[in-house]
């Protein structure tokens, strides 16, 4: 802890002149001890969580702007499906590397407050340049814009998670991460349901399609402006609270150690393959969902967007519930297999049936997606020591973005060359690969890790309690 900060902060000094700590807070902060501006109060933390939720709202809202307007991009701006899907690839390319160093940039270069502002600003600049590229119908500029946007998008999520860990305690973190993910899903949902109505606004119809699209994308950048303002507000709140409490600014704690990577156990690499094999059947499918449902079910663009947004709506509600349920039951590997199997069933129905209700299918897709997201990411923390957790997550996001970058290029080419049935078969192949590697993970865990990754919650709490007591006893002996 910084000695200077400690000396300056009266909250850490003994109460002066008989004043209680609460009086000290009131005297120092000018606010009532129980007021929401008191950093020691839970109400203050939950107010901060409200601001934290909007840090990535703009990035999730604008990430799927192309998906919400896919018919316009293809039919009015004349993009092929391959050219359209490349808009998503260009988001992922920078994150093949940046996912590995986002935490390093926050900890060693920018700091959490400036880092969050810079990454949110990259999202804003990327979205404004994207709007300019559409306005002037310059596909290369649109790709460059999505590259800029991608630089901000994933690292902003790292900054958001770092703030969350800094402000909330262990027993609150699962709820907090569930709320943050839900808010991000709401950003995606709002995008999928408002962009078509904005595009159809009467006042814009006199513009040429490219200029029309440019104006609509510029309007969408307002969400990124709001996120940038939230990073500024949160920086002031965080600085004030850390000063009052005499604490250092938050850090990811990520030390990208190459030697850590060489020592990762096989399950980490199996999880990376499961992650990429699963997610390439989710985000690329959603990015192509509007035209798929338009053509498959003869819906309107608005209705197709509403159907495509259902996985996000369902996930906004189901993610915290699945997180709570899986925390209570454990058996994470079986949950990943179950969620992947459900997703496989959903894609089979989307590929080979024509009379099932698309709203029901996509709600089913949202539940299965929520189960996998809630069981997959927490499992990493049971595979590597906490000091290597940031590196492990960086590797997973890096592999995931490499897969998304390549698969988005492939999906566009498949649709242009073979149509949507082959696209669905392509997704089914990836989900079968995910299931195969889930099975390998289960068998490896059973044979070589004593079932550590797939323990029930009760077993995990009991065994980890024993391991913690043994570690403390060993530490005491060493002393
Ligand atoms: C938690 C997980 N997020 C991701 O996989 C991100 N790499 C993708 C972010 C896309 C929009 N910014 C998820 O959304 O399930």
């Amino acid at each position: 802890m910084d000695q200077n900060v400690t000396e300056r902060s009266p909250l850490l000094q003994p109460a002066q002149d008989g004043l209680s700590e609460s009086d000290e807070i009131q005297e120092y902060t000018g606010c009532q001890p129980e007021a929401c501006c008191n950093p020691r109060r839970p109400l203050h933390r939950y107010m901060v969580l409200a601001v934290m939720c909007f840090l990535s709202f703009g990035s999730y809202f604008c990430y799927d702007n192309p998906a919400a307007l896919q018919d316009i991009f293809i039919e009015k701006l004349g993009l092929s499906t391959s050219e359209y899907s490349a808009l998503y690839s260009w988001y992922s390319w920078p994150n093949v590397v940046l996912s590995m160093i986002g935490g390093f940039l926050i900890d060693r270069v920018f700091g959490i407050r400036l880092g969050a502002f810079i990454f949110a600003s990259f999202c804003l600049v990327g979205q404004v340049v994207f709007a300019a590229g559409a306005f002037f119908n310059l596909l290369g500029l649109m790709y460059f814009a999505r590259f800029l946007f991608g630089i901000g998008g994933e690292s902003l999520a790292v900054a958001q998670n770092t703030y969350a860990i800094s402000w909330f305690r262990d027993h609150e973190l699962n709820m907090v991460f569930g709320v943050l993910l839900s808010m991000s899903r709401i950003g995606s949902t709002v995008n999928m349901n408002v962009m078509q109505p904005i595009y159809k606004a009467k006042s814009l119809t006199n513009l040429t399609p490219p200029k029309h699209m440019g104006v609509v994308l510029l309007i969408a950048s307002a969400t990124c402006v709001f996120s940038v303002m939230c990073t500024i507000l949160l920086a002031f709140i965080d600085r004030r609270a850390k000063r009052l409490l005499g604490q250092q600014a938050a850090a990811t704690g990520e030390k990208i150690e190459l030697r850590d990577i060489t020592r990762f156990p096989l399950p980490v690499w199996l999880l990376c393959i499961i992650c990429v094999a699963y997610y390439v059947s989710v985000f690329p499918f959603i990015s192509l969902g509007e035209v798929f449902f338009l053509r498959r079910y003869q819906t309107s663009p608005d209705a197709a967007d509403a159907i495509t947004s259902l996985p996000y709506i369902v996930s906004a509600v189901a993610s915290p519930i699945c997180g709570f349920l899986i925390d209570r039951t454990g058996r994470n590997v079986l949950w990943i297999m179950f969620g992947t199997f459900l997703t496989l069933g959903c894609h089979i129905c989307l590929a080979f049936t024509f009379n099932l209700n698309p709203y029901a299918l996509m709600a089913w897709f949202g539940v299965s997606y929520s189960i996998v997201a809630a069981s997959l990411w927490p499992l990493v923390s049971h595979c590597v020591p906490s000091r290597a957790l940031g590196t492990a997550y960086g590797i997973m996001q890096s592999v995931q973005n490499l897969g998304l970058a390549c698969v988005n290029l492939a999906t566009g080419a498949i649709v242009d060359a073979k149509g949507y049935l082959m696209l669905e078969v392509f997704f089914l192949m990836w989900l079968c690969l995910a299931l195969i590697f889930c099975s390998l993970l289960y068998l490896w865990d059973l044979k070589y890790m004593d079932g550590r990754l797939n323990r029930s919650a009760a077993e995990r709490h009991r065994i980890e309690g024993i391991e913690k007591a043994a570690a403390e006893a060993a530490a005491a002996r060493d002393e």
Side-chain angles (χ1 to χ4, degrees), residues 56 58-64 88 91-92 95 99 123 149 152-154 157 161 181 184-185 188 275 278-279 282-283 312 315 319 369-370 372-374 376-377 396-398 400-401 404:
S56 59
S59 86
Y60 271 81
F61 183 96
C62 295
Y63 171 78
D64 271 323
Y88 282 90
Y91 170 92
S92 291
N95 292 302
S99 295
C123 290
F149 184 79
E154 301 287 283
N161 290 342
L181 195 55
S184 300
R185 299 282 189 261
S188 305
C275 175
Y278 181 79
Y279 272 94
V282 175
F283 291 135
Y312 289 141
S315 180
S319 289
Y369 167 43
S370 303
V372 174
L376 174 71
W377 297 99
M396 271 183 83
Q397 294 273 16
S398 179
Q400 181 206 49
N401 277 283
L404 287 169

Side-chain angles (χ1 to χ4, degrees), residues 6 24 27 33 110 134 271 283 305 372 388 418 454 476:
T6 307
E24 280 286 313
E27 181 179 338
F110 304 126
L271 284 173
F283 291 135
D305 277 346
V372 174
K418 299 289 185 183
N454 200 47

Side-chain angles (χ1 to χ4, degrees), residues 235-263:
F236 280 109
I237 295 173
D238 187 67
R239 186 165 63 98
R240 171 181 177 273
K242 293 301 187 285
R243 192 182 69 241
L244 288 177
L245 300 174
Q247 294 172 350
Q248 293 291 344
T252 63
E254 291 179 20
K255 295 170 182 55
I256 305 295
E257 302 284 355
L258 289 178
R259 65 170 182 272
D260 279 339
I261 296 175
T262 58
R263 292 175 184 164

